[in-house]
Amino acid sequence: MDENLFHKDIMNTTRQPTIADSRIISDTLLYYSQIVLYIGLCGIISILGIIANILNIIVFIRQGVLKDNSTASLLSLSISDLLGLVFLLWTSVCFLFTYMPNSDLPFDIVSVLVVTAVRPHLTFVQISGWLTVYITFERCMCVVFPFKVGRMFTAKRSAIIVMMIPIFIVLTEQVPMFIVEHLRWLPNSSTNKTILSIYRSSNANSVLSVTKYLNSTLSTSLRVILVFCFTEITALRVVASSKWRKSASTSDKQNQTIKGKAKTSEDTSIDHGFDDREKRLVKMIRAISIIFLICSMPELVYILAESVETELNNVGRYSNLFYFLYQFSFLLEGINVTINITVYYRLSTKYRCEFDKLFGINL
C-alpha cells in the first residue's frame, strides 16, 4: 500500500462533491465515503480493536509465554495489531482535522497524517502480515513433521524470529523512506508562514517507487500466497490423518468384535473427543485463512488491476477508484485485527478457559 496516496500535492483530501461527474467513482461518492469510512467506521473499529487486542495480550501472558511457542507468536501478533490500530485511530483523528474549515494550524495536517499515522500503520500491517505467515508456517510444520518440530522451533529460535521480523521491515521500509522524505519546518508561500510539512529530497521518487514495489506489491502478494498454502496444507494433512485414524479405529473395532472384545463406552468417548479437537483445528486454520484473504482482497485487486490498467493510480483517469479501494483496505485491515479475539475464543479451548478465568465467568 502506498503511503503517498494521502499526499496533499497529489490529492485534495477534502475534495468537494461536484454536480456532474461521469467517472466510475464520482467526487461526491468519494467525498462522503471518506467521511463515513476513515472518520466514522475506522475510528470505531480502531477503538474496539484496541480493547480486544489488549485483552488478547493479557490472556496470552496469563497462559505463559515461555511455555508454548505458539502463544509467544500470537502474543507478538497481538502487540503488532494493537500498535497498528493505535495509528489507524490517529489516522481517523487526522482526517477529522482535514475537514475542519479555516483551521489555522502550525503544520500541514496531510503531511502529519502521512508521516505520523498512515506510514506507521502500514508498517505494522506489514509486521502483522509476516507474523501471520510465520505462525501458519509453524503450525504447518507441526502437522507435517510432528516428531521433528520440537527441535526445529525451540522457544529461543521462535523469539529470535519474532523479533527479527519487525526489525527487518523497519530497516527495509521505514529507514529508506525517512531519509528521503520526512517532516521539516518549511516556508508556506500561500500563508507566508513557516509550517511543519513534508520535505522530499531530489531522489525521493525513485526510492519510494522501489520501497513501494518491495513492501507493497511483492510483500502483499507473497503474504497471501504463503498463508493460503500453509493453512491449506495443514488442513489437508489434518483431514487425511483423521480419516486414517477413523479407518484404523474401524478395523480395530472389527477385530475386537471378532475376538469378543468390543470397545467400551469410555474408549468410544475418547475417540470422539480426539476427533472433535481435530475438527476445531481445521476450523481455526481455515477461519484465519479466509479472514486474511478477504481482508487482503481490495489491495490484491488493485495490485492486479494496476498491472493491466496504467490509469489506475493516484493521478490517473481512475484515481477516484484507486482511493476508494484503499479506503476499504484500511477498513478491512482494522476488521481483520479486531475480530481475531472471536476466533481465539470460539475455537481455542485454552484461550477460552483463561479468558473466562480473567473475568470470573463460571466454567
Side-chain angles (χ1 to χ4, degrees):
M1 188 177 294
D2 185 6
E3 73 281 349
N4 293 303
L5 62 95
F6 297 105
H7 204 281
K8 198 168 187 177
D9 59 7
I10 297 175
M11 171 189 178
N12 182 6
T13 312
T14 58
R15 179 185 293 169
Q16 298 294 324
T18 57
I19 298 176
D21 201 330
S22 60
R23 287 177 286 189
I24 297 175
I25 301 296
S26 65
D27 286 347
T28 303
L29 178 58
L30 183 64
Y31 177 81
Y32 289 111
S33 65
Q34 287 175 352
I35 298 176
V36 173
L37 294 178
Y38 281 133
I39 299 176
L41 293 179
C42 284
I44 295 171
I45 290 172
S46 298
I47 295 172
L48 295 176
I50 289 170
I51 297 172
N53 280 281
I54 289 175
L55 291 176
N56 285 340
I57 292 170
I58 294 173
V59 171
F60 290 139
I61 291 175
R62 286 168 62 95
Q63 286 182 202
V65 179
L66 299 178
K67 296 180 181 179
D68 185 10
N69 293 343
S70 296
T71 302
S73 300
L74 291 172
L75 173 62
S76 302
L77 179 62
S78 296
I79 293 173
S80 178
D81 290 342
L82 172 62
L83 294 174
L85 286 165
V86 169
F87 286 109
L88 182 60
L89 180 60
W90 177 232
T91 300
S92 298
V93 174
C94 289
F95 255 100
L96 182 61
F97 277 106
T98 64
Y99 284 87
M100 290 184 177
N102 303 322
S103 55
D104 188 17
L105 300 173
F107 53 84
D108 175 29
I109 185 60
V110 179
S111 298
V112 173
L113 168 67
V114 172
V115 177
T116 67
V118 175
R119 189 176 291 173
H121 167 70
L122 295 180
T123 299
F124 283 108
V125 169
Q126 291 272 357
I127 294 171
S128 295
W130 284 108
L131 285 173
T132 303
V133 172
Y134 173 71
I135 291 169
T136 53
F137 172 72
E138 185 181 39
R139 291 179 181 179
C140 181
M141 293 299 101
C142 289
V143 174
V144 177
F145 304 107
F147 302 107
K148 298 180 181 180
V149 72
R151 295 191 299 271
M152 294 169 59
F153 296 98
T154 62
K156 184 177 180 180
R157 289 177 183 173
S158 295
I160 292 174
I161 293 173
V162 165
M163 289 189 295
M164 289 302 297
I165 288 174
I167 293 174
F168 178 79
I169 291 175
V170 169
L171 290 177
T172 58
E173 179 178 358
Q174 286 300 303
V175 172
M177 287 193 296
F178 180 80
I179 292 174
V180 300
E181 185 178 86
H182 49 268
L183 291 176
R184 279 190 187 181
W185 291 98
L186 300 174
N188 190 320
S189 57
S190 60
T191 60
N192 292 324
K193 294 181 179 179
T194 300
I195 63 172
L196 189 66
S197 59
I198 284 183
Y199 165 80
R200 282 188 168 188
S201 63
S202 57
N203 62 336
N205 290 333
S206 58
V207 173
L208 293 174
S209 63
V210 173
T211 56
K212 176 188 174 182
Y213 174 77
L214 293 177
N215 299 303
S216 176
T217 306
L218 184 61
S219 178
T220 301
S221 303
L222 282 176
R223 290 200 312 265
V224 172
I225 292 172
L226 291 174
V227 168
F228 177 79
C229 290
F230 292 146
T231 51
E232 284 304 305
I233 291 172
T234 305
L236 291 174
R237 288 299 297 267
V238 169
V239 171
S241 178
S242 178
K243 289 180 178 179
W244 178 85
R245 270 191 287 269
K246 285 181 179 180
S247 176
S249 177
T250 303
S251 178
D252 291 341
K253 184 176 180 180
Q254 291 174 351
N255 293 334
Q256 290 174 354
T257 302
I258 293 173
K259 296 177 181 179
K261 297 179 180 179
K263 269 192 176 183
T264 64
S265 59
E266 183 181 357
D267 295 332
T268 304
S269 65
I270 291 173
D271 286 344
H272 282 296
F274 189 76
D275 189 57
D276 289 341
R277 288 196 298 272
E278 291 193 344
K279 288 181 179 179
R280 286 197 299 269
L281 175 60
V282 173
K283 288 181 180 179
M284 173 177 279
I285 58 181
R286 284 191 169 168
I288 294 172
S289 179
I290 291 171
I291 292 171
F292 187 85
L293 290 172
I294 291 175
C295 294
S296 302
M297 196 57 63
E299 190 172 359
L300 281 177
V301 169
Y302 160 69
I303 290 172
L304 295 174
E306 185 185 33
S307 61
V308 177
E309 177 55 64
T310 57
E311 291 292 324
L312 183 62
N313 52 51
N314 49 10
V315 293
R317 178 182 176 186
Y318 302 109
S319 60
N320 282 8
L321 179 60
F322 169 86
Y323 292 121
F324 194 76
L325 287 174
Y326 272 113
Q327 290 175 22
F328 278 99
S329 294
F330 270 63
L331 178 63
L332 291 177
E333 286 165 1
I335 293 174
N336 180 34
V337 298
T338 299
I339 63 177
N340 281 343
I341 188 173
T342 61
V343 176
Y344 299 147
Y345 188 84
R346 289 178 62 86
L347 300 177
S348 174
T349 304
K350 185 178 179 181
Y351 180 95
R352 184 166 56 251
C353 291
E354 199 61 49
F355 186 92
D356 292 343
K357 289 179 183 178
L358 178 64
F359 289 95
I361 300 174
N362 293 326
L363 302 176

